[in-house]
Amino acid sequence: MRLPLSILLSACLFLTCRPTNSIDTPAPGAVAETPVSAPGLVHREGRNLVQNGKPVLLNGVAFSNWVWDNKIPALHHNEADFAQLNQMGLNCVRFYLNYQWFEDDLRPYTYKQAGWDWLDQNIAWAKKNNVYLILNVHVPQGGYQSQSKGTALWDVPENQNRLAAWWKAIAKRYASEPTIAGYDLVNEPVTTKSIDQWKDLANKLVKTIREVDTGHLIVVERLNGTLDGWRDYNGERNMFLVPDENVLYQFHTYDPFEYTHQQFSWANRSPDENERYPDETKLSTPPDLQWYTATFNNPAVVAGTSGWNRYTGVPYRVSDPKIKLAFAVCQASGLQTGQAIFDDILVREFDESGAFVRDVLTLDLNSLNGWYFWSKNGSGKAEVVAGQTGNAIRVGGTTDDANVGYSIGKFRVRAGHSYQISGSVRGENVPSGATVKLRVDFETTNQPILTRNKAYLKNVVQYFADWGQRNNVPMYLGEFGAGAPCFQNNRGGLQWTEDMIDINRELGFHTTYHAYHEDSFGWFFGQNTLPNPANANTPLIELFRRKFGK
């Protein structure tokens, strides 16, 4: 379903609306003693954003501010960078914040003047150059969320109290500031138990902000996941409404992940990857893809130490229409004192009569590229070792359910056809009660299985457009981006980005690209130096200039 826009907003799609500075506003640092509902702020009207009666469409880039560093990022950018965005036709910066720039853990609730001075300076630069800021808490008290490390935000209640107090201080200080488009509560929250933890905290933060600022837009992001389920969907892809009328709802996408994050070791990717866009040979799986079932009754490796043996699984006939994709898995559960080595793995397909159709895939065992190791309690590891004739995958040290799956080799299944896995396995000191076997795992989705192209990208984000329409709220794609390797050796990064920009316009999303100045996704590379055109992704910068230029 295509997201319809009002005639007024459609007229603004290719014109960048600017902050209105015609009203009198307090000087930076002025404190509002009572709740403020200031005129001239960006606010929600139905599914649109408006300011002073005029439609606002936010398009810009993220200032990540090297947020992983505990020092204020004085050299990340300066006023010239805001001026460049204005000249390019962009009007918004998602501005990342680390609580440690404002508060020490040893002195909670006491805020550093240096943090306020730095933020005041950036607001002044943005105001002068007609650029909005969306203040985003990227590192809250309790820790950065995206890679499941900030569990203390959820397990230590005082961290939530400190976060609420900090947001109240921010909102009180800037309650009348029209250059600030909105307050982005927490980046990519990953809870320890359930979505209810994020719902409760989001509602608490909204209520706290509204005690001192009734006018500013609040930005609420979907739950990114939980520790035991990265995609813990609630039927609405972890979107939810909060009880406030002036909210912009946010989601992120870097799909397909294996393309946008290729070669990044911090994302468990191999340095020799060469993923491309578009690529009609690659299945790009939908974001609601979920594990469904597996061939659990395949033969298992016996306890103790055994030599190489060939194991052939039971053919699994696909009779359930919910099954859409399959991939090979090496299960290695409970190997706390032993290890299992898997080699020469093959998946075969048979038709309705049982006749052989094809070898679906022979797995690449030369590296862990494309393999995903999962352990229920984080124990154990997978690694490449010498096998029978070449390399093999070894798993050991697991104390609970664990496996390693060939996620890059997912394939479509055919109704009525059967799939069978076989391979050579050697067990070493396998404990009694351990489970070591080869499996075919099956996944389900409510969406079509597409190849890696623009239709796939649109399908990924269409759900959020539809969700916004159903709930009559505006939608914000707060992060989208392709990593630096995507722009090298004709891998198609510019085409991916242009396709995303065009899709975002078609669906009416407010957007910020990640990111302006960082080595992984930046327009500019390098750290501890101001952005330098000599060290930049110039074609990407020129693409934005061409797509948004005045």
Side-chain angles (χ1 to χ4, degrees), residues 72-310:
I72 291 175
L75 295 178
H76 180 273
H77 62 271
N78 62 16
E79 182 180 350
D81 298 290
F82 285 101
Q84 174 173 250
L85 295 183
N86 176 285
Q87 190 274 333
M88 293 173 66
L90 296 169
N91 69 341
C92 181
V93 167
R94 186 171 184 247
F95 198 77
Y96 296 4
L97 300 176
N98 183 330
Y99 81 94
Q100 294 171 95
W101 304 337
F102 294 81
E103 179 190 39
D104 286 326
D105 290 327
L106 295 179
R107 299 185 65 197
Y109 305 103
T110 300
Y111 303 116
K112 305 174 187 179
Q113 187 60 41
W116 295 125
D117 291 344
W118 172 75
L119 186 51
D120 288 345
Q121 178 65 81
N122 277 274
I123 291 171
W125 286 338
K127 182 191 294 286
K128 182 177 178 180
N129 291 283
N130 296 318
V131 173
Y132 295 107
L133 294 183
I134 293 178
L135 302 184
N136 163 244
V137 170
H138 218 77
V139 181
Q141 294 86 342
Y144 174 70
Q145 295 291 296
S146 301
Q147 294 172 322
S148 306
K149 297 178 180 179
T151 58
L153 176 62
W154 312 103
D155 296 340
V156 181
E158 185 62 9
N159 284 324
Q160 295 191 12
N161 294 335
R162 288 171 58 191
L163 176 59
W166 183 33
W167 264 124
K168 186 173 184 178
I170 293 171
K172 190 174 184 180
R173 185 180 185 92
Y174 301 113
S176 300
E177 178 52 69
T179 300
I180 296 175
Y183 303 138
D184 187 349
L185 301 179
V186 176
N187 181 71
E188 296 186 352
V190 179
T191 59
T192 54
K193 297 176 182 177
S194 75
I195 191 173
D196 290 335
Q197 291 173 288
W198 174 221
K199 288 181 178 179
D200 291 344
L201 178 57
N203 288 334
K204 176 178 181 176
L205 297 179
V206 170
K207 182 179 179 181
T208 300
I209 289 171
R210 291 301 183 225
E211 291 175 1
V212 293
D213 182 347
T214 61
H216 266 103
L217 191 68
I218 293 178
V219 183
V220 178
E221 187 173 344
R222 65 184 288 272
L223 177 71
N224 211 39
T226 63
L227 290 183
D228 61 356
W230 190 251
R231 288 176 169 172
D232 183 27
Y233 288 101
N234 64 342
E236 296 186 89
R237 300 202 191 161
N238 288 346
M239 299 294 299
F240 59 91
L241 298 172
V242 296
D244 190 273
E245 291 299 312
N246 195 20
V247 176
L248 176 63
Y249 289 91
Q250 180 179 190
F251 66 100
H252 298 170
T253 185
Y254 290 92
D255 287 291
F257 184 88
E258 61 271 18
Y259 172 73
T260 62
H261 284 65
Q262 63 182 296
Q263 301 187 17
F264 291 150
S265 59
W266 53 266
N268 297 318
R269 310 303 302 177
S270 169
D272 59 356
E273 290 177 316
N274 188 30
E275 298 288 331
R276 298 182 179 275
Y277 176 89
D279 188 344
E280 298 299 330
T281 69
K282 293 291 180 68
L283 296 181
S284 290
T285 52
D288 70 337
L289 192 68
Q290 297 184 63
W291 184 90
Y292 191 67
T293 190
T295 54
F296 292 115
N297 57 344
N298 287 346
V301 174
V302 298
T305 298
S306 57
W308 287 105
N309 290 296
R310 187 75 185 175

Side-chain angles (χ1 to χ4, degrees), residues 3 5 9 13 57 475 503-510:
L3 183 68
L5 299 174
L9 183 56
L13 277 175
L57 186 62
M475 300 301 296
I503 291 166
N504 295 336
R505 282 178 168 172
E506 179 183 349
L507 298 179
F509 296 140
H510 304 272

